[in-house]
Amino acid sequence: MIAATVGDEVISVAEVDRRMRDLYEGPLAARLPHPASPEGRNLRRWLVQLMTMERVVAQEYRDLRKRGESGQTASDGPAGGPDQVAPVTLPIALRTGGVIASVLSTPAGQSLFTRIDAGLPPDEVRAYYDRNRDRHPGPFDGESAGIAAQLVQARKETLFVRWLERRHREKVTLMPGFEHPGDPRQPDATHRH
Amino acid sequence: MRIADIAGTELFVEGPRQIVRVTLEEGPPAQVVITGDAEGTATGAGTVEVAVITPKTPGDVAAITVTVGDDSRETTFVVAEPGWTVWMVSHFHYDPVWWNTQAAYTTTWNTAGDAAQASRSAFQHAGFELVQLHLETARREPGYKFVLAEVDYLKPFWDAHPEHRAYLRRLMDEGRVEIMGGTYNEPNTNLTGAESTIRNLVHGIGFQRDILGGDPRTAWQLDAFGHDPQFPGLAAAAGLTSSSWARGPFHQWGPMLGGGDPKRMQFPAEFDWVAPSGEGVLTHYMPGHYSAGWWMDSSTTVDEAAAEVYTWFLALKEVAATRNVLLPVGTDYTPPNKWIMDIQREWNARYVSPRFVCGLPKEFFAAVRAEEHAFLPQTRDMNPIYTGKDVSFIDTKQVQRRAEVLVADAEKFATLASVTKRADYPFALMDKAWRQLVYGAHHDAITGSESDQVYLDLLTGWREAYTIGSETLDGALRTLGAGLSGVVVWNPSSWPRTDVVRVRLSPPPGWRGIAEAALVENAVLDDDGFITEADVTFLAEDVPPLGHRTFSFTPGGAPGGNAGWLPAGGTTIAGSGHAITADPDRGGAVTSWRVDGRELLQPGQVGNELVVHDEYPAHPKFHEGPWHLVPKGTKEGSSAHPAEVVAERSALGERLVVRGAFGSVRYVQEITLWRGLKRVDLVTHLDFDGADQLVRLRWPVEIDQALPVSEVGNAVVGRGFAHIDADTAEHPWTLDNPAHNWFALSATCRIGGRPIGVAEIVAGPDVPAERLRALAVALVKQGVTATVSRADGPRYGNLAVDSNLPDVRIAVGETPWPKGWHPAVRPLVEVWVPSADLTAADALPVLSIGADDLDSLIDDLADAVVEIEGESYEPYTIGLINRGIPGFAVEPNGALNLSLLRSCTGWPSGIWIDPPRRTVPDGTNFQLQHWTHSFEYALLAGPGDWRATGLVRAGHEVNHPLIALDQGVTGESAAESLLDVPESLVLTALKPAGNLIATGRLPGEVTGMTMRLYEPHGRTEHIDLPGWRRTDLLETRDEPDAPVTGMDVVTYSQDVQGGGAAPGAEPFQPVFVRYWLHNTGPAPIGNMPLAVHLTPETVTVASSLVEETVTGEVTLDGTETRGFTLEPGAFTAWPNEGWTTAGLNFDGQTFEDRLGDATLAAVTETPHLTLRARERSEIVIRLTCDVPVQAQLISPWHTYEMLPLWNTGTGPGTTELRFPVIGGHRPGTWWALVKLGYGGKVHYTEPVTIEVLP
């Protein structure tokens, strides 16, 4: 039984069940919904979201390394050099959402993130400086580097999330019973005002 | 063959030229040529967008030939209209409390523990983060605009993060943020009195306009579970000009749920929402819900997201009144949408129509007004939505009603004490009481939709309002009554009253009883058998309005003290025209109720019956529990079981006492007929231990053709029948509604022999909107709400779409119906069925008139009767008055049902955020209500309509009992009215003039008073009030004097010198400045106009005052100080040099912020208290803490007299908190626990059982 396919790989229901079992045998067990309840099935769906996203990241990372070996570069997303490493902080996790934050904490996710090329349009730094002098009262020369770093970081987060979600969309097929928990068509979707 | 598909679009590029999409089969780019009625050329592969010009006009069909190479096709497309704009309004909906706590929703969601994450979506954030995320986006994106609304997060953010004030002010100046809503929160105005709604506007606009400097113009009631019909009038009177929301006139999710067609709506999304007062605001209903535009956030490309916006445009434009579509881009607690600015940039670079603009509600409404000046008027009742809200956590609705009444009555008499006796007015206390009521009116508070922990938090708010109201009222009456003697009875109403009144009296030594007609109960006798104190009930006759009459008693009467209820034998009581019989074999239910000889019950049916309906935990399809009534269609009634019935008599009247039990309920019912009163007073005491059940109380009365009517906030409207026995899995809409003081079976208005209550006005194209407004207003002033539709559009009355149903149609002008009165083909009860569809032309009676006859119909409606030759009707009314039990349902056969109590196990019942989780002592969720309840209600019946029966006054009187004070038991005769009010109006508020604290001002002397009145019967009144001037609702501008029209709500002020401002302070000091972390609701007493905040980096002190400059000093770690002088609205900051506490003394209170963790250990020494009446005991909590502890005892309604101390605290260290318990006279089982707030954390002690034995 298949829960989802990711590219040419398969995530089996058995794998999902195993991860569920780990959860239900773990420290959170007492607070988890009954697995047969709608809430329990939605928890399972979230788990599948996480597992498929992990698999997408692993595949992208694998392909990146392959392309690196063959001298190719990724044209549709990750690029750039290792000098652009940015630590994943709680604010990033909050801005990017739980599932993505979770994969960002893995070495593969980190490595993909650092390769996002977030070039700023010309004059963006200057325009930001001009609009936000309350925050940047000093001369432009002294403020510009800090502004650029901040804008690049925000843009990288945005682009990374968009890229990863797009790859997830392209690569992942979810089987009935494992739809996105927020999908209003799935039978356990809850409208909670 | 190259052409695969040809499709017209609603898209336009420069020109404007309409886009025709031509899809080519695979191949190299090719030139596409369109000729015919429209012409254009483009080159491309795949889908090619060809811009065409056409001489045809929008709506026409254009015939074209499309040529690609040697392939040619002929087809047609519809010429679209350019000039459309989609206003993408970036917002987030914010509930200050719901399943999660105030602390988590305001700031601590990330660290609030596992339970706080369980139902959280990945994109959701706490309030402070949300404001900052939107501000950061505004800094990066110069075109980004967004909305901020509720005071619940704005006030804390404004105080705790003053560093953002300048930037927020700049965004306001630049028109990039709209501070809006005009209300404190999104209240459920259909569950409170209108004065609570008014104070919500006062505090919302006061904060948003005066303190923040915004310009709120749009009421933003996104999520409210239905709306009070008077709301649009109140909003207009407060200076708002528009409103918008998502629930109603359709069901909770709107007409588009499950792919539904919004065109089923009978009027455009922009309409003139008109109140029974005749006032209203331009309103936009959100056909796709308030979250419609949010979900494009999960798109993975900008094109995909833009395509989703375009899909919404195509759907929403179908119900738009102008070429403007409002697309709310946000949902609960959402950050800025990922795509909104990219869409604006990229889409508008390609197309000129529709434009996709990140804009503000005020821009949307301005654009709508620029294109159209008259909108269809709607007096439609935007109810019922989420019927469970009327009964879930019923105890909170009871205490809310009582607190609201006490606060309003306290305000009246404290104002009179100030202006007649120069007494100081307790501005700060009364302001806090109102803010607690306003906070509790939120649509996840008074609705009972909250989790168990939040329920406990909310109870302290109503308790505080109740306590401040009671103490202020008592103090004001003692001031006003100084020098009077005897028993002084006060009348809080604006008309003379005669009613029973109950008071605890301490007669002089030597009394064995009372000579006058009185009930003497619960007497305490001394060793010689003399009364030391007793509860005395008597009939207080002719007490002057807003004044007093003294009563004097003499010793005598029955020896032994108690002259209470005595056995009378039989099972029938009679008096004041009533005769009531109960049957022990049928659960003690009433088998006959005669009024002046007329039997009111249906043959074979019984009244006052308790009926327990089985419910689902949550709706099988919608998955909603506490806020949705979900009966399964099975039930059990008390009449199937025997009970004990005892008839009793006393000097004041007769009563029946019923005792019984079945299933999950044990009950005691009292039915009392007081000599000299027209109404029947009833109470049902209930002990309940069921789950997923709804307990209704049923009176199956019968009046030919009569329809349900219900009081709402300061008005009365017709409301349809309900279907309470259907299985909601199949028929989800029971059509229960909330009533304010009462509901009834009556005839609010009639056409010939047919009572009407809810109308559809079907207008021909020859009748303009303005004239329809006059008809809709004339109808609603007689209690008939109306949906105004056009004859060529869809009809109102399909429960698949509409949240309620009409019972009559009035066709005006050119319509399909021949002119004249078309009586119903079938009786209403035959068509009014579960899941009814009444849209057929002959489903309802129709009055069809010509456009020329409109004025005469309007004139005819002034007496609520439209005469039809040969038809007559004798109205009769039976009303059921409630004390905070708003949920009602009238079955099609006429049976009145009152929803007493409900136990729902559906989510978020039992949810608990801050462990250890607490429950009722029997281990169940608080939502299940397993304790002793008392429900008070009354019946009134008589010939004529509800106006003639006097239901408005009776409903007011039952809820505002006369107040008696013991000032010596015997004394001089005296009577006086302290305020002259026209008797035809109802006074709902009397207060010091102005709204000082709400608008950022410090209270000083009372310099005037303001009263609020409303006309209750739909009649125009020319009133003369010398010395008073008419003002707007906010008292900011004078209004021209004019007649008070039917159901109008009016405000008058006069200048008069009163006393000064009495100080007010939180009972426990120091006040923790981040009050929201203790889940205590609105800001502390005084509204904290000066706020000190500490972070590891900085100390700030910020002013929210708008006039005063303040000088003071901040104390750091108790040793160092920093002085400051703050201009209005200013703040100052210092680097934190390692301090962990910051203190500030202001206006008689000490405020403190503190950093660092705090620890607390608490043990309840007294888990179970058993006591009898008047016995004393204590709840003892032994605790150790390293910071000051705010301690609030929480217990349910009906226990407050037993637990007089509730709001206190203790300093750091090991201490014992002792809360006295005094046994009450009513036996039962309740619970109490103590919430401990310490340095921003909360702990709830183990619940204590309080058992009072008979």
Side-chain angles (χ1 to χ4, degrees), chain A residues 31 131 134-135 162 169, chain B residues 114 136 170 304 342:
Chain A
R31 276 166 259 171
R131 288 196 308 269
D134 58 328
R135 264 196 190 167
R162 289 181 182 182
R169 177 80 61 93
Chain B
D114 298 325
E136 286 306 312
R170 195 176 113 198
E304 192 185 320
D342 286 339

Side-chain angles (χ1 to χ4, degrees), chain B residues 666 687 931-933 1169 1171 1202 1224-1230 1249-1254:
Chain B
R666 279 185 295 127
D687 281 272
W931 57 90
T932 305
H933 299 261
L1169 299 175
L1171 59 174
M1202 289 194 285
H1225 290 287
R1226 167 136 298 278
T1229 305
W1230 297 275
T1249 301
I1250 299 173
E1251 188 180 0
V1252 178
L1253 302 174

Side-chain angles (χ1 to χ4, degrees), chain B residues 811-822 847-851 853:
Chain B
V812 187
E814 295 163 14
T815 70
W817 290 280
K819 303 295 175 259
W821 172 236
H822 308 281
L847 176 65
S848 177
I849 61 166
D853 298 327

Side-chain angles (χ1 to χ4, degrees), chain B residues 744-823:
Chain B
L745 201 57
S746 184
T748 193
C749 184
R750 61 194 157 91
I751 298 176
R754 167 89 171 200
I756 62 169
V758 184
E760 178 177 19
I761 298 173
V762 184
D766 54 329
V767 195
E770 293 88 338
R771 302 203 62 214
L772 292 167
R773 192 181 199 282
L775 176 59
V777 168
L779 278 166
V780 78
K781 283 187 184 300
Q782 303 311 328
V784 180
T785 60
T787 294
V788 180
S789 64
R790 289 291 181 185
D792 60 355
R795 296 279 70 79
Y796 164 39
N798 179 3
L799 273 183
V801 186
D802 302 314
S803 65
N804 59 37
L805 297 172
D807 53 61
V808 69
R809 292 201 162 87
I810 298 174
V812 187
E814 295 163 14
T815 70
W817 290 280
K819 303 295 175 259
W821 172 236
H822 308 281

Side-chain angles (χ1 to χ4, degrees), chain B residues 830-1002:
Chain B
E830 283 184 22
V831 295
W832 196 293
V833 294
S835 300
D837 179 356
L838 304 178
T839 55
D842 63 350
L844 297 172
V846 181
L847 176 65
S848 177
I849 61 166
D852 293 344
D853 298 327
L854 198 57
D855 288 337
S856 63
L857 177 61
I858 289 168
D859 289 346
D860 206 4
L861 281 166
D863 64 351
V865 181
V866 177
E867 304 293 346
I868 300 286
E869 209 175 299
E871 291 194 14
S872 65
Y873 183 77
E874 285 302 321
Y876 193 88
T877 296
I878 303 169
L880 208 168
I881 298 163
N882 75 77
R883 292 191 79 182
I885 321 162
F888 80 92
V890 181
E891 295 169 57
N893 65 17
L896 311 178
N897 286 267
L898 190 62
S899 297
L900 295 190
L901 171 150
R902 187 178 183 228
S903 62
C904 182
T905 62
W907 182 91
S909 173
I911 294 291
W912 193 274
I913 305 301
D914 296 290
R917 176 176 169 237
R918 298 307 189 191
T919 65
V920 179
D922 73 356
T924 57
N925 298 346
F926 289 98
Q927 178 76 263
L928 270 56
Q929 302 271 298
H930 286 190
W931 57 90
T932 305
H933 299 261
S934 293
F935 301 101
E936 295 166 289
Y937 49 103
L939 288 163
L940 190 65
D945 63 17
W946 56 269
R947 301 171 190 89
T949 317
L951 264 168
V952 173
R953 284 191 174 182
H956 179 99
E957 289 171 0
V958 167
N959 277 281
H960 294 253
L962 299 174
I963 310 132
L965 267 63
D966 177 356
Q967 296 190 191
V969 185
T970 58
E972 298 292 315
S973 165
E976 189 186 5
S977 173
L978 301 178
L979 189 75
D980 198 16
V981 177
E983 274 206 29
S984 57
L985 304 183
V986 178
L987 180 138
T988 52
L990 176 70
K991 59 188 274 298
N995 295 296
L996 295 168
I997 294 174
T999 57
R1001 291 162 174 90
L1002 293 172

Side-chain angles (χ1 to χ4, degrees), chain B residues 36 78 189 234 417 561 633 907 966 1129:
Chain B
V78 178
T189 54
L234 299 177
W907 182 91
D966 177 356

Side-chain angles (χ1 to χ4, degrees), chain A residues 27-28 31 33 38-39 41 46 90-91 93-100 124 127-136 150-152 154-155 157-159 161-170 180 182 186-193, chain B residues 93 95 98 110 113-115 118-125 129 133 136 138-142 163-164 166-167 170 176 223 225 247 253 257 289-290 297-302 304 332 338-339 342 386 443-444 449 621-624 627 907:
Chain A
L28 289 175
R31 276 166 259 171
E39 292 77 12
R41 289 193 293 272
W46 276 118
L90 181 64
L94 293 172
R95 285 194 292 271
T96 54
V99 170
I100 289 186
E124 178 89 356
Y128 184 92
Y129 172 77
D130 288 343
R131 288 196 308 269
N132 296 289
R133 292 303 307 278
D134 58 328
R135 264 196 190 167
H136 301 286
Q150 176 200 332
L151 294 181
V152 164
R155 192 161 170 75
E157 287 166 14
T158 304
L159 292 178
V161 172
R162 289 181 182 182
W163 170 77
L164 195 54
E165 286 182 346
R166 181 159 54 82
R167 295 303 287 152
H168 188 266
R169 177 80 61 93
E170 288 162 359
H180 190 282
Q186 62 102 341
D188 298 310
T190 54
H191 295 290
R192 289 168 161 175
H193 78 259
Chain B
H93 170 58
D95 297 317
W98 179 24
N110 298 330
D114 298 325
S119 297
R120 180 183 186 176
S121 294
F123 53 74
Q124 294 185 317
H125 300 281
E129 275 163 10
L133 286 167
E136 286 306 312
R139 285 181 180 274
R140 283 200 299 274
E141 292 274 9
E163 71 276 14
H164 291 292
Y167 187 63
R170 195 176 113 198
R176 292 178 58 201
D223 192 21
F225 305 172
R247 303 192 192 277
W253 296 104
L257 178 66
H289 201 58
Y290 63 72
D297 193 71
S298 54
S299 300
T300 56
T301 67
V302 65
E304 192 185 320
D332 301 2
K338 273 194 209 107
W339 299 106
D342 286 339
Y386 285 145
H443 62 268
D444 285 309
S449 59
K621 180 173 163 215
F622 298 112
H623 307 292
E624 297 177 287
W627 46 94
W907 182 91

